[in-house]
């Protein structure tokens, strides 16, 4: 098959699963988008901080201001007034929800497709997560949200999943109508946009993750963004020792609204320095993934037996994942297994080809602690709290039927940020081989 001939009809080949030769024998690259672009620039940035012997962001022997500068640069990149770097995406969620005043007696609407940290942050603050179904964008369906709003609802968390934006404008409209907050979880979509506007800039607050699997990475890390001065100051308090800081860096003790309980989520200078470099590379990282993804998508559009995930703004899709939906769960499993036999897989630690029901703690019904309402204290916190007694929630499979159906029939493939044209050709070839046999 010619590698540059994406539309040519190929003759039927014997599947590797049936004894034929596989398309490839070398594993595909691991996902880890930012890490594939890490080089001596990040090494040099980290070494400069080490040589300064000043790894703490607020003071040191020879402060480098890496975190301060990263926050300014990231805020400018997203198009918001404030950015606050923290130690993880989970830390960012806890910090943002704390700033928003989330606690017992409140409900927060979350999507059926997310990462477990979204639910954990709500639960750990004593509030009740309420599941909302998704649509064929694999993000929260705005049409399903209003039916979940009760007098206890305080906010909505929109999760921009698998690299592509959720319908933030529609969700914001609902939030404003009902006087709820909108928190954007952009952990898997750093650099994404809708009509040219960056995700994270629509809601009251946005959060990001810079963990190993993310578009830009320092191994672990996160960020909170907002245009609201008060929410920013409360975030500073929540991520530090419980107190906001004035312009000179001194703690503020005379404003009780800014006196909280801190979580010690301050980012260190080493990771701040690395993230400054990764941020400069982010547009290039995204461009590589998007080019690979849409080249593969264009080839797959020729097959009527599959449907591709609906993207609300293809120009704002960051590209790290491709989702393909089949007509049945049986067919999805067969296609996935056949693709793996053709070599469309990574080494064991990576995920490049999985039926979404096997996509771990991204799937609501896979979160055992949620389904069973388990708690750290063994007494049912937060569901057992008197403040939450009026919240009626279900989390078992069947709660979100559209999501359940899509998960069973869909295959998720990672699109690494270093795919070669030959790698793309192999993926396309394997799909064609499997779908025409």
């Amino acid at each position: 098959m010619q590698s540059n001939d994406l539309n040519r009809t190929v003759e039927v080949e014997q599947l590797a699963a049936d004894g034929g030769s596989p398309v490839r024998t070398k594993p595909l690259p691991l996902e880890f988008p930012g890490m594939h672009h890490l080089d001596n620039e990040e090494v040099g940035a980290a070494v400069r901080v080490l040589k300064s012997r000043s790894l703490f962001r607020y003071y040191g022997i020879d402060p480098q201001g890496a975190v301060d500068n990263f926050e300014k640069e990231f805020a400018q990149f997203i198009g918001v007034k404030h950015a606050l770097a923290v130690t993880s995406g989970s830390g960012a969620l806890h910090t943002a929800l704390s700033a928003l005043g989330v606690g017992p007696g409140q409900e927060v609407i979350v999507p059926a497709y997310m990462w477990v940290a979204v639910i954990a942050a709500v639960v750990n603050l004593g509030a009740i997560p309420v599941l909302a179904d998704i649509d064929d964008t694999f993000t929260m369906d705005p049409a399903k949200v209003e039916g979940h709003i009760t007098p206890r609802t305080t906010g909505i968390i929109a999760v921009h999943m698998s690299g592509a934006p959720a319908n933030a404008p529609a969700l914001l409209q609902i939030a404003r109508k009902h006087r709820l907050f909108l928190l954007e979880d952009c952990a898997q979509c750093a650099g994404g946009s809708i009509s040219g506007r960056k995700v994270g800039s629509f809601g009251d607050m946005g959060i990001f993750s810079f963990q190993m699997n993310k578009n830009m990475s320092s191994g672990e890390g996160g960020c909170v963004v907002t245009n609201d001065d008060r929410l920013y100051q409360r975030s500073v308090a929540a991520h530090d020792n419980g107190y906001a800081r004035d312009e000179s860096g001194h703690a503020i003790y005379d404003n009780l609204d800014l006196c909280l309980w801190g979580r010690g989520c301050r980012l260190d200078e080493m990771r701040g320095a690395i993230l400054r470099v990764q941020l400069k590379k982010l547009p290039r990282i995204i461009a590589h993934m998007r080019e690979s993804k849409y080249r593969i998508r264009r080839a797959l559009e020729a097959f009527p037996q599959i449907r591709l995930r609906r993207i609300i703004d293809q120009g704002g899709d960051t590209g790290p994942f491709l989702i393909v939906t089949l007509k049945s769960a049986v067919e999805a499993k067969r296609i996935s297994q056949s693709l793996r036999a053709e070599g469309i897989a990574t080494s064991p630690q990576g995920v490049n080809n999985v039926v979404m029901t096997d996509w771990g703690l991204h799937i609501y019904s896979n979160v055992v602690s949620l389904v069973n309402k388990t708690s750290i204290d063994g007494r049912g916190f937060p569901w057992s709290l008197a403040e939450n007694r009026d919240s009626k929630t279900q989390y078992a499979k069947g709660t979100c039927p559209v999501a359940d159906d899509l998960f069973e029939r869909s295959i998720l493939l990672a699109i690494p940020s270093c795919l070669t044209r030959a790698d793309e050709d192999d993926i396309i070839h394997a799909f064609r081989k499997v779908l025409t046999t």
Side-chain angles (χ1 to χ4, degrees), residues 24-32 36 212-213 340 343-354 359 414 416:
R24 61 183 291 140
T25 56
K26 180 182 178 182
L28 285 164
L30 293 164
E31 47 271 38
F32 311 145
H36 287 300
M212 184 77 169
N213 297 70
R340 295 187 74 83
I344 306 306
T346 62
S347 60
Q349 68 167 309
V351 177
N352 194 291
N353 169 12
V354 61
W359 191 214

Side-chain angles (χ1 to χ4, degrees), residues 15 329-339 355 434-435 437:
L15 294 176
V330 171
E331 187 69 358
K333 185 174 181 180
R334 182 187 74 81
I335 295 296
S336 177
Q337 291 176 339
S338 296
L339 288 170
V355 175
V434 169
L435 292 171
T437 301

Side-chain angles (χ1 to χ4, degrees), residues 125-190:
L125 287 169
I128 299 297
V130 175
L131 292 169
D133 217 332
I134 63 174
D135 57 23
D136 56 355
T137 67
F138 284 80
T139 62
M140 186 182 287
D141 182 354
K144 302 292 178 62
V145 172
E146 288 192 277
H148 294 291
I149 295 174
T150 74
R152 296 170 298 284
T153 307
T154 189
I156 301 167
I157 302 180
V159 186
H160 303 289
M161 280 300 294
S162 299
N167 193 344
L171 293 170
L172 179 62
Q173 187 175 18
I174 295 168
R176 292 292 176 262
K177 175 182 175 182
H178 295 275
R179 298 185 178 183
L180 309 174
F181 70 71
L182 177 65
L183 172 61
E184 294 179 73
D185 182 335
C186 314
Q188 298 188 10
C189 198

Side-chain angles (χ1 to χ4, degrees), residues 226-350:
T226 185
N227 283 309
D228 188 292
D229 294 344
R230 173 179 174 269
L231 291 176
Y232 170 69
Q233 286 280 40
R234 284 175 62 85
S235 295
V236 172
H239 104 296
D240 194 2
N241 293 320
Y243 300 94
R245 294 173 180 264
D246 60 25
E247 292 183 1
S248 61
H250 297 117
I252 299 171
Y253 300 116
D254 60 356
N255 184 343
L256 293 182
D257 183 53
L258 305 181
C259 296
L260 308 179
W261 294 99
R263 293 182 175 271
C265 295
R266 299 174 300 268
L267 192 70
D268 60 271
E269 287 285 275
M270 181 88 74
R271 283 182 285 180
I274 292 169
L275 287 170
R276 293 187 72 192
V277 179
Q278 284 270 296
L279 178 58
K280 293 176 183 177
K281 296 179 178 180
L282 182 58
R284 184 191 346 150
I285 294 168
I286 290 172
H288 195 129
M289 293 188 295
R290 192 157 51 207
E291 183 177 353
S292 294
K293 175 178 177 175
Y294 282 91
R295 182 168 181 254
I296 297 167
R297 272 183 63 112
R298 286 192 296 272
L300 297 185
E301 287 170 355
F303 294 93
Q305 65 266 52
I306 65 174
R307 291 186 63 186
L308 298 167
R309 175 190 188 183
R310 179 167 63 88
I311 308 294
I312 65 171
D313 183 351
Q314 293 190 1
D317 180 6
T318 63
F321 292 98
L322 174 70
I323 299 177
V324 176
T325 303
L326 284 300
K327 293 182 179 179
S328 70
V330 171
E331 187 69 358
K333 185 174 181 180
R334 182 187 74 81
I335 295 296
S336 177
Q337 291 176 339
S338 296
L339 288 170
R340 295 187 74 83
E342 298 295 343
I344 306 306
T346 62
S347 60
Q349 68 167 309

